[in-house]
Amino acid sequence: MRHLIDPTDLTVEETGQIIALAEDIIADRAKYSQVCRGKKLATLFYEPSTRTRLSFTSAMLELGGEVIGFSDAASSSVSKGETVADTVRVIRCFADIIAMRHFKEGAPLVASQYAGIPVINAGDGSHAHPTQTLTDLLTIKREKGRFDHLTIGFCGDLKFGRTVHSLIKALSRYQGIKVFLISPQELRLPDYMLREMSAGSGLEFREVHTLEEAMPELDILYMTRVQKERFLDQEEFDRVKDSFVLDPDKLKTAREDMIVLHPLPRVNEIARAVDNDPRAAYFRQVENGKFVRMALILTLLRWAGENRPFERTPVFGEPFLVDGPVCSNPRCISVSEDVDRLARRSDDGACRCAYCETIL
Ligand code: CP
């Protein structure tokens, strides 16, 4: 059974096929209007969402399928203490495919072990957001025409930004990618990712502390929100919340063909005055999210019918059981639910929690 838990669960070739299918759907929507007739998508959202949940819903409806689920864990039996494993063993009786968003890192991986139907990670804590990555890649393809030889600036909350983590991982598999990491010290990319990038991921990267240092070189500026909900300490949030604001003045040194992406929602990190600049691609990006989720649902359901095996890009080895210390990440599902303690060995030799990638 194939799932999408991490962007590297898809090979580069498979990713390209899903992007190409999304482009075909855009070109001829009528052709796909009944292809999921009789199929149901369950959207299990334990955390708030506007774009991801509604674009999954809209995607399934446009494919002729139906949608069930919850948008608030409080209205489900999760509030009575039901585990992720038991929840998905129930949902598999009612649906053909699951999209899960959870505040615990690794929850969709747990779900994939018990569901018996394809599970899509719709965002797990600060860890990963692979369908946002597919959205970003489709947008990059449509706006820039390529995935290779691009310079991308990631700006804002690189520590908790799951969209940043997933997109960097996906881009590390293409040629000639240069990355500027633009963040305050407190919101630097997590150590496990910096280690991975330094250990020969193929990405060239540079850390800077101002937008101005990177702006003239960028093909893409990827802005992110400082996420209040991820901070355990309010004072730390207050210190960094206004670190970077993109306004028309800052765009003056940017290339004419640069694009500005943002996974949204935004708070104040992009001034409203930027919205009318043709380089502002973040609302076009939202619509791409629906088309690429249509392509993903269709692909995973087809693969489930064929029982297609994984051809995993070897970023991580296969998971194995561990008998050592528990994961030190308080946001990891393995800390709060009774799950198998799984680890993976990554290319840099480190043993990582399979659920959240924290080095054990
Ligand atoms: N980009 C994104 O995941 O948005 P939502 O939180 O609204 O789903």
Side-chain angles (χ1 to χ4, degrees), residues 15-73:
T15 303
Q17 287 163 0
I18 290 171
I19 300 294
L21 179 56
E23 289 180 305
D24 197 55
I25 291 170
I26 292 166
D28 187 356
R29 287 161 76 168
K31 188 166 95 187
Y32 295 92
S33 67
Q34 295 300 320
V35 287
C36 285
R37 202 180 169 145
K39 299 287 185 190
K40 287 196 195 80
L41 165 74
T43 54
L44 312 184
F45 276 60
Y46 295 72
E47 220 187 26
S49 165
T50 297
R51 274 146 296 274
T52 310
R53 189 174 67 82
L54 293 178
S55 66
F56 264 117
T57 302
S58 180
M60 192 52 161
L61 295 178
E62 287 208 25
L63 293 168
E66 292 171 89
V67 184
I68 59 170
F70 53 81
S71 57
D72 175 7

